[in-house]
Amino acid sequence: MLKNIKRHGHVGVILEGIYYGVNGAALLRGVSAVFEDGKAYLIMGRSGVGKTTLLKIIAGILRPTGGSVRFMGRHRVAYIPQNLGLIKGVTALENVLLAFSSQCRLCPLTNMWPRSYVERALEALKAVMLGDKAWVKVENLSGGEMQRVAIARAMAYGADVILADEPVSNLDEENAAHVVELLTSLRSRGLVISVMHNREFVDMFDEVYMLDMGSLKPLCRGTSSCS
Amino acid sequence: MSRYLLLLVAVTALLIGIGDPWTWYKAINNLARLFSEVGIEVEVLDEAFYAMVDTALLSVFATSAGALISMFLGALASPMFFPRFLAVTVRALANFMRTIPALIWGILAVIMFGPGTVAGAIALTIYTTGYLTKLFYETYENVDRDLVDSLKVFGLRGIVLASAVFRQVRKQVVTNILFIFEYNIRTATILGIVGAGGIGYYIAQYMTLLNYSAIFTIIGVAFIFVGIVDVASYVVRRFFV
């Protein structure tokens, strides 16, 4: 593993022998991988093989029973769960503003945000083409729009490691392609790791891994060889 | 199932003597006599109205204060926001507050503060806090875990995280508050029987004087008032929540 790390120029995240067990059964058995900055990664696999678990371990939500996750340099991780983790009953703007919670601790409590944060949140929404829907409650948005709000929140947070769990599972083909394009474009900010169970969009990612029997195997590298 | 229930009813009825036909004969006779003798006592109406307003104020205070405290305690009692040992401790405290009936809290409050509305307000606030804390932490428990996890990644913790999640469940919270308000109005009407203010105090007083017409009038006022609150609560739930 160390040899591999030295070979890579801009290493972002290193997984070293990740083990994770559920009810005594090993779900992940020594998963190792190196994720570089500036790339978009796709992790594929059947339902229940541990894709979400692996993503949650990278996000720091779950603690692995063995092994470690190492981030090289400063990093900001954003995790977009399958159901997006948006708060229903509030606007798209308010959801994006939550990205600044670590900078303004009392703001979520009072729901009063400094103008600079509001402007930055609006910019993020404009970047995902939702500037005109900033004041719409998220439950009134379409599936694709909600997904874009979640991406805007990650962008506003300044995330350089973006983790997306099944980002297109509930979208039609056109919206799904748009969301994957937007998501993979975030590689310019750091690195993107997405998990999906279908092969439809493999050609939009730089590297594709397959999670099977508890271990991660490279499937293809480079957009041309993945298609 | 129904056979066992029937058996239980029969056995317990025998033990407490509820099945005695003579008891029922006397009861119906007494009720008929009561209805033939009692009427509306107009002089009491004024007193009953002000006592009911007092009862309503007491209920509004207890519900609002209890809800405010419970919003905080409900978050503390949720392990997804705070350490488990703290959550367990707060839950135990809420259970204790809820297990003791409001009437017993009323007796304790009367001993502490003396008879009157203040004692009733304190008693009902304690009970409301216990009850709403449970309802609120159960509401938080039903929130999607992924939502909480994704917000934690953004650095939200503790009460700040709870306040963000609160916005998703606020409709449920309002429903819970309205439910406990209806309950409190009913409970506040009897709290006065132990001296804790409100309309119950007058019921107790007229009971000792055996003035059934006055009691009948006061209960009538309370019945109308509780009915209005129930309808208002339904309208708020139906159209605004």
Side-chain angles (χ1 to χ4, degrees):
Chain A
M1 177 56 67
L2 281 173
K3 277 181 192 171
N4 283 344
I5 294 165
K6 281 173 188 167
R7 275 215 313 269
H8 294 282
H10 305 282
V11 173
V13 184
I14 302 162
L15 307 185
E16 285 183 308
I18 301 286
Y19 275 85
Y20 191 82
V22 180
N23 301 329
L27 190 63
L28 303 175
R29 300 170 186 172
V31 172
S32 295
V34 175
F35 299 108
E36 293 174 61
D37 273 346
K39 286 189 174 178
Y41 295 86
L42 175 63
I43 297 173
M44 295 178 63
R46 288 176 288 105
S47 293
V49 290
K51 301 189 297 292
T52 300
T53 303
L54 181 61
L55 221 53
K56 283 186 174 180
I57 287 171
I58 300 171
I61 295 163
L62 292 178
R63 194 172 291 180
T65 42
S68 66
V69 180
R70 286 168 56 194
F71 291 89
M72 309 308 283
R74 285 186 64 207
H75 66 278
R76 275 177 165 256
V77 181
Y79 169 65
I80 304 172
Q82 188 169 359
N83 54 17
L84 307 175
L86 297 176
I87 296 174
K88 308 282 190 315
V90 305
T91 64
L93 178 67
E94 283 175 276
N95 268 287
V96 176
L97 279 167
L98 287 174
F100 304 115
S101 300
S102 56
Q103 292 156 51
C104 182
R105 296 263 173 215
L106 285 177
C107 294
L109 210 57
T110 58
N111 202 25
M112 287 160 70
W113 298 84
R115 183 184 286 268
S116 60
Y117 292 135
V118 175
E119 281 168 5
R120 281 163 63 190
L122 282 170
E123 269 172 40
L125 281 167
K126 278 177 193 160
V128 297
M129 264 99 73
L130 283 176
D132 58 332
K133 298 212 169 160
W135 284 274
V136 177
K137 286 186 177 176
V138 285
E139 64 268 32
N140 296 329
L141 297 173
S142 70
E145 287 170 336
M146 283 167 81
Q147 188 67 252
R148 281 189 276 153
V149 173
I151 293 172
R153 188 165 68 179
M155 288 163 74
Y157 182 56
D160 46 24
V161 177
I162 294 130
L163 310 168
D165 190 2
E166 299 284 0
V168 296
S169 58
N170 298 316
L171 304 181
D172 59 60
E173 208 171 311
E174 194 184 330
N175 267 313
H178 186 66
V179 164
V180 174
E181 196 183 331
L182 186 64
L183 196 64
T184 50
S185 73
L186 298 180
R187 57 163 78 88
S188 61
R189 294 167 173 260
L191 71 94
V192 178
I193 305 172
S194 179
V195 306
M196 282 187 218
H197 65 272
N198 55 27
R199 299 181 65 98
E200 214 173 325
F201 301 102
V202 285
D203 56 338
M204 294 167 88
F205 289 85
D206 300 304
E207 288 187 33
V208 181
Y209 286 87
M210 178 64 81
L211 185 63
D212 193 29
M213 308 287 282
S215 61
L216 202 59
K217 298 172 187 92
L219 205 65
C220 58
R221 180 173 290 196
T223 50
S224 57
S225 62
C226 288
S227 55
Chain B
M1 176 75 174
S2 50
R3 264 189 306 174
Y4 294 118
L5 287 173
L6 202 65
L7 186 68
L8 276 173
V9 168
V11 172
T12 48
L14 201 69
L15 288 172
I16 60 179
I18 206 168
D20 181 12
W22 178 241
T23 307
W24 282 98
Y25 172 75
K26 274 198 301 184
I28 292 162
N29 218 16
N30 286 341
L31 190 69
R33 229 181 73 199
L34 178 74
F35 276 113
S36 65
E37 286 176 13
V38 296
I40 301 286
E41 208 155 298
V42 183
E43 306 89 73
V44 182
L45 271 175
D46 197 37
E47 198 173 53
F49 176 75
Y50 283 109
M52 201 61 227
V53 169
D54 216 24
T55 307
L57 286 176
L58 189 157
S59 309
V60 171
F61 172 83
T63 308
S64 314
L68 271 175
I69 302 167
S70 304
M71 279 178 196
F72 183 65
L73 290 183
L76 286 181
S78 303
M80 65 169 89
F81 305 133
F82 288 96
R84 189 163 288 276
F85 78 91
L86 184 62
V88 170
T89 309
V90 175
R91 282 182 188 210
L93 176 72
N95 280 347
F96 174 71
M97 292 163 115
R98 203 178 62 254
T99 309
I100 295 175
L103 219 54
I104 304 294
W105 284 120
I107 293 168
L108 282 171
V110 167
I111 292 167
M112 285 172 73
F113 297 93
T117 313
V118 173
I122 298 291
L124 213 51
T125 303
I126 294 171
Y127 188 79
T128 303
T129 303
Y131 210 102
L132 279 182
T133 299
K134 178 184 162 59
L135 291 180
F136 288 173
Y137 73 64
E138 282 178 352
T139 303
Y140 280 130
E141 268 174 9
N142 290 329
V143 169
D144 179 25
R145 187 77 211 192
D146 272 351
L147 168 71
V148 178
D149 286 343
S150 61
L151 292 176
K152 274 184 179 173
V153 174
F154 287 122
L156 279 84
R157 292 285 184 277
I159 204 75
V160 178
L161 176 62
S163 73
V165 174
F166 175 81
R167 280 182 234 159
Q168 174 147 316
V169 297
R170 61 186 163 190
K171 282 186 182 175
Q172 184 59 44
V173 167
V174 172
T175 305
N176 289 338
I177 292 172
L178 286 172
F179 166 76
I180 202 80
F181 178 62
E182 287 173 33
Y183 172 87
N184 279 349
I185 284 275
R186 286 189 187 87
T187 310
T189 56
I190 56 159
L191 265 179
I193 291 171
V194 294
I199 205 164
Y201 172 78
Y202 295 93
I203 295 174
Q205 291 302 307
Y206 287 115
M207 282 274 262
T208 52
L209 298 171
L210 300 176
N211 186 344
Y212 293 116
S213 288
I215 295 167
F216 188 76
T217 308
I218 292 171
I219 289 174
V221 170
F223 180 79
I224 292 165
F225 203 89
V226 170
I228 292 168
V229 168
D230 276 2
V231 171
S233 175
Y234 171 79
V235 170
V236 171
R237 263 204 302 265
R238 177 78 176 78
F239 297 103
F240 300 102
V241 182

